[in-house]
Each structure stands twice: as C-alpha cells, then as structure tokens.
Amino acid sequence: MLHISKPLITFFFLSLLPFYTLPACAQAIQWASDISLRPLSPKAGEVTSFQVRVKAGKQAANGFTVVGGIDGKQIFRKELGLLKAERSRNMRFKWRATGGSHEVYFKIVPTTRSRVALPRQLSKRFSVQTTSTRSQAAQVQTRTATRSKPVQQSTRSVRQSMHRSKPVQASTAIAPQTLSSANFQQPVCEGTPLPDIEITHISISGSSSNNGAGGLQIHIPYGLTITVVNRGQCDSGRFTITATMRVQGQGVDETTQLGTKGLNSLQPCRTKNCSDAASSIGFSFTPRHNFAFYEFNIEADAGNYINEFNEENNELSDSLRITEN
C-alpha cells in the first residue's frame, strides 16, 4: 500500500489553489473614492446627493451592481454593465433629507454566481439640520411681497394676487453667475403637479487626426449637444445644466469643467413624446490627448433648487475614445 506523507499532500493542494481563485481576480473591482455628499451640511427637506466612484482592475469588470441607502434601508440600485479595465464610473443617488443623525452606505454585489473578490461596504455618518428649506422659501416670499407693497397699494384688490405672483415667477433675466436658491422659485401650478427635468440625449461631434508628433490636429471643432425635456405637468422655471469632462490615458487622468449654462424655462409636457417641452443646449471642448478616453457627465439642476416629480433622471453620461494613427 502506497503511503504519501501529509506535507506532500498539503503541497499538492496548495499548488492547485491559484487555479481555483483565478476567477475571483479576473473581475476585480474596487472603490476609487470615499462617499461624498452635497450639500455638505444638508437641512431638513433639502434634496441631498450622495456619490461614490468605482473602478475596474487590470481586466474589464462585468456582472456587478451597486446598491446604496440610508440608515440600512436600500433606496438605490444600479447595474454597472461592462466597466473597461482600469476605468471608473460615478454612482450617485439623491434623498430628501430628514432631521437628525443618519448613515449613508454603498455596497457592491455580484449579479452572477461567479466567485469574485468584493471590496468592503462603504458607509459615512452625517447630520441634518432641523431648519427646513420651506421656512427659507417663506422668508424669501415675505421679502418679495414687502418690496411690492407700494405697487399693490394703488391697485384694485381684485388684481393684487396677480401682481404679487409676478416677481416670484419672473427669473428669465437672471444671469447664470448670480443664480442662488432665492432665484429658483417654484412656478405656481394648479393642484400638486410638478416639473420633471430629464436629460435624454448627448450628441458628440468633431473631427481630428494625428499631427505627426503623437498629438491631435483638429479639423472640425468638437462639441456636445444636450437634449433636455420636461416630462412633468408644471413649468420648470429657470435651471442650469453643468458639463464635466474627464480624460484618461497613458499618464493622464484629469477632470475639466466645461461650464454651466442656464435655460429660462421648459413648458409642461402636453404631447405623447413631450417634444413640445424639449430644448437643446451646447458645450464645446478641445481634445488635447491622443489615444485617450474622454468621459462626459451632464447634470441638470445640480443644486437641486427645483422640486421635481423625479429627482433621479437629471444626470447622463457619454464617452468618446480618440485613437488617431
């Protein structure tokens, strides 16, 4: 009878271990940032945004879902889809704050049965001030009504309500750089309908070629055309659209703010596809790195000044890879 020593058996099984653990490394994924929240000191009733960035390892990652929530209750779930090697993606959800101490969390879960190595759950504690944004809005309306009193005194009482509402709704002449919470007054609607701003499409245009030194020669200027629509039943009022560009390549990883532009208003949706409540806005950019990955993130009403029916469809991303030989 053949006898095999225990050390030899142990060595044999240990030598096979890498073959069993290989699938776990093939789809490695990790956190690329801590949890950030905006605003940093939220108030009760204010819409707060939570964001975290995930990154793939040296190989492409697929079959993952990011979930998140507040105080142990899940309120966010989104599949990553295919995340290319060493690329990252921002995951974000919004929550209307309630007063007190809270804890936000993000967790990565696999959507397949394959054995994968997952990073630990991220969590962060924060406090919400009890002063609500409703009381602030009431103060703004009170100050506006006080300023309009001299006009109303010489007007018949039947028309006073009309004169009182105009200063609140008229925000079309406000310059983007002076926008604040006082300028974003919710339009008056009958009953309780709300606007619903959604970015539906990003169109990328432009043309370039290799300039012979590894860089780019631009033939047609590059630009982004953003289509935004109001799917709600109330006029949106004035809001802004912000564009950010991230460039990743060999020795390059930089983020640039392409700018913020304002739209005076979007009327309520009245047709099946809401084409009557849609508008377009453009941004320009100059690609400076060849053999690079350009990722664009567009967000409407980034400051959450407008109370919407759905706060989860204000952001959209698109990408462009430039490899001019």
Side-chain angles (χ1 to χ4, degrees), residues 133-204:
T133 54
R134 290 182 180 179
S135 62
Q136 293 178 353
Q139 294 174 7
V140 173
Q141 293 175 3
T142 302
R143 289 195 296 268
T144 304
T146 302
R147 285 195 297 268
S148 61
K149 277 184 178 179
V151 178
Q152 296 176 14
Q153 287 175 354
S154 60
T155 308
R156 294 183 180 181
S157 58
V158 177
R159 298 184 178 181
Q160 283 183 359
S161 59
M162 294 176 61
H163 284 279
R164 189 163 50 246
S165 62
K166 284 184 178 179
V168 178
Q169 298 180 34
S171 59
T172 57
I174 300 171
Q177 61 268 21
T178 63
L179 295 174
S180 65
S181 59
N183 303 135
F184 285 90
Q185 293 302 314
Q186 184 68 32
V188 178
C189 296
E190 297 180 0
T192 58
L194 294 173
D196 180 13
I197 302 170
E198 179 182 358
I199 298 178
T200 59
H201 186 66
I202 302 174
S203 177
I204 306 175

Side-chain angles (χ1 to χ4, degrees), residues 235-302:
D235 189 282
S236 68
R238 184 175 176 83
F239 65 94
T240 59
I241 296 178
T242 302
T244 303
M245 178 178 71
R246 185 182 183 190
V247 184
Q248 294 177 299
Q250 186 174 3
V252 178
D253 190 348
E254 57 188 31
T255 301
T256 303
Q257 297 293 329
L258 297 182
T260 298
K261 296 186 177 182
L263 282 175
N264 288 335
S265 67
L266 286 178
Q267 64 179 357
C269 176
R270 302 301 186 196
T271 61
K272 184 176 181 180
N273 59 1
C274 300
S275 59
D276 60 327
S279 183
S280 296
I281 195 167
F283 294 88
S284 61
F285 67 97
T286 302
R288 303 184 184 278
H289 303 280
N290 200 357
F291 303 100
F293 181 78
Y294 294 76
E295 184 177 16
F296 304 94
N297 187 73
I298 312 298
E299 185 174 8
D301 189 32

